[in-house]
């Protein structure tokens, strides 16, 4: 158990809908990362938050947004869903100071299926 | 062009064999990560390196910053090592770049 909790584990929804994925980081970790893993594109970094602020942005679509709350949990919002958004979405957390890389601990992922 | 290249893509080994997975990268990095993903989908961070060598049990990871290359070695491989091994790097802007993974199967 990594200590990172993601909910829900599975999600099936229709095209055009909006979903929210939730991540609770390990106790004490200030950084949360979101990743997308699809069959045709492998793992891709979406976005990172550190202590409530956006720290780094990857290949995140404009239809997607994220935030980190004062209690440090994070939510990834996916809207106007398309079939191609079907993927595993991972959250990871780390204790990270400014300018430092530290080991990341991954949640079990949310498997999103868009039908 | 991928910023991170891994080889081989697929690897089958007999139990007990010594295994090496290679990773080359083309960007300046602050750290390199080796990740393990089991068939159930969960990802485990094995190592984070910025220089030198690290060892955890039968796993050894090395990095050569000048050559922009890292290797993951598994000694005395076991069927439970069967998984996808992913190399990832973070640059100084905290951007992550992932390799496409090496699928390892260890046969008893």
């Amino acid at each position: 158990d990594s200590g990172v909790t993601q909910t829900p584990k599975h999600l099936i929804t229709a095209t055009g809908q909006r979903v929210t994925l939730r991540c609770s980081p390990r106790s004490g970790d200030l950084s949360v990362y979101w990743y997308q893993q699809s069959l045709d594109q492998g793992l891709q970094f979406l976005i990172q938050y550190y202590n409530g602020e956006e720290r780094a942005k990857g290949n995140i679509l404009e239809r997607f947004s994220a935030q980190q709350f004062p209690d440090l949990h994070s939510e990834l919002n996916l809207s106007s869903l398309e079939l191609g958004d079907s993927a595993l979405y991972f959250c990871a957390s780390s204790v990270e100071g400014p300018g430092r890389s530290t080991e990341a601990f991954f949640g079990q992922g949310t498997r999103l299926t868009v039908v | 062009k991928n910023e991170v290249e891994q080889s081989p893509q697929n690897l089958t080994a007999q139990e007990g064999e010594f295994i090496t997975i290679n990773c080359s990268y083309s960007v300046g990095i602050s750290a390199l990560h080796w990740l393990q993903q089991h068939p159930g989908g969960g990802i485990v961070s094995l190592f984070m390196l910025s220089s030198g060598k690290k060892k955890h049990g039968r796993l050894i990871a090395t990095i050569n910053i000048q050559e922009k290359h890292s290797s993951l070695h598994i000694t005395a491989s076991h069927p439970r090592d069967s998984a996808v091994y992913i190399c990832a790097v973070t640059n100084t802007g905290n951007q992550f770049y992932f390799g496409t993974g090496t699928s390892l199967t260890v046969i008893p």
Side-chain angles (χ1 to χ4, degrees), chain B residues 7-19:
Chain B
S7 63
Q9 279 193 313
N10 297 286
L11 184 54
T12 300
Q14 291 288 335
E15 183 173 356
E17 283 186 9
F18 180 84
I19 288 162

Side-chain angles (χ1 to χ4, degrees), chain A residues 10 15 19 21 36 39-40 43 45 50-51 57 59 65 70 87-88 98 101 103 111:
Chain A
H10 301 276
T15 54
V19 297
L21 312 184
Q36 180 194 57
L39 278 175
D40 58 345
L43 260 173
F45 167 61
Y50 174 77
N51 203 20
K57 214 167 192 175
N59 298 322
S65 64
L88 260 175
S101 283
E103 187 176 4
R111 186 173 294 279

Side-chain angles (χ1 to χ4, degrees), chain A residues 33 35 37 43-45 48 55-58 88 90 96 99-108 111, chain B residues 30-31 33 35 37 40-48 86 90-99:
Chain A
Y33 309 80
Y35 305 92
Q37 187 178 38
L43 260 173
Q44 291 200 77
F45 167 61
Q48 181 204 1
R55 170 62 63 85
K57 214 167 192 175
L88 260 175
F90 285 100
E96 180 180 305
R100 286 197 302 127
S101 283
T102 55
E103 187 176 4
F105 295 85
F106 285 77
Q108 287 299 302
R111 186 173 294 279
Chain B
S30 60
H33 308 255
L35 310 173
Q37 186 171 28
I43 293 177
V44 174
S45 175
L46 297 175
F47 293 103
M48 191 194 76
I86 301 168
T90 46
N91 65 10
T92 52
N94 286 315
Q95 290 278 356
F96 273 77
Y97 301 91
F98 293 93

Side-chain angles (χ1 to χ4, degrees), chain A residues 33-38 41-47 58-59 90-92 104 106, chain B residues 1-6 22-27 29 31-37 43-45 84-91 94-102:
Chain A
Y33 309 80
W34 286 99
Y35 305 92
Q36 180 194 57
Q37 187 178 38
S38 56
Q41 295 211 339
L43 260 173
Q44 291 200 77
F45 167 61
L46 296 178
I47 198 163
N59 298 322
F90 285 100
C91 163
F106 285 77
Chain B
K1 179 185 179 299
N2 291 333
E3 290 84 358
V4 180
E5 300 278 356
Q6 277 184 246
N22 294 301
C23 175
S24 297
Y25 54 91
S26 58
V27 295
I29 69 168
L32 182 141
H33 308 255
W34 281 103
L35 310 173
Q36 180 193 55
Q37 186 171 28
I43 293 177
V44 174
S45 175
V84 174
Y85 292 83
I86 301 168
C87 174
V89 300
T90 46
N91 65 10
N94 286 315
Q95 290 278 356
F96 273 77
Y97 301 91
F98 293 93
T100 52
T102 295

Side-chain angles (χ1 to χ4, degrees), chain A residues 2-88:
Chain A
S2 67
V4 179
T5 305
Q6 285 188 251
T7 56
K9 285 193 171 54
H10 301 276
L11 196 47
I12 301 175
T13 190
T15 54
Q17 295 297 305
R18 172 191 164 96
V19 297
T20 297
L21 312 184
R22 182 188 168 103
C23 171
S24 294
R26 287 191 326 154
S27 176
D29 285 358
L30 298 178
S31 269
V32 170
Y33 309 80
W34 286 99
Y35 305 92
Q36 180 194 57
Q37 187 178 38
S38 56
L39 278 175
D40 58 345
Q41 295 211 339
L43 260 173
Q44 291 200 77
F45 167 61
L46 296 178
I47 198 163
Q48 181 204 1
Y49 278 83
Y50 174 77
N51 203 20
E53 294 189 4
E54 184 183 302
R55 170 62 63 85
K57 214 167 192 175
N59 298 322
I60 187 165
L61 299 173
E62 284 191 11
R63 299 183 286 108
F64 296 0
S65 64
Q67 54 184 326
Q68 186 179 27
F69 294 87
D71 66 353
L72 300 177
H73 91 271
S74 178
E75 292 182 355
L76 179 67
N77 300 297
L78 315 176
S79 61
S80 302
L81 284 166
E82 301 175 358
L83 295 177
D85 298 327
S86 296
L88 260 175

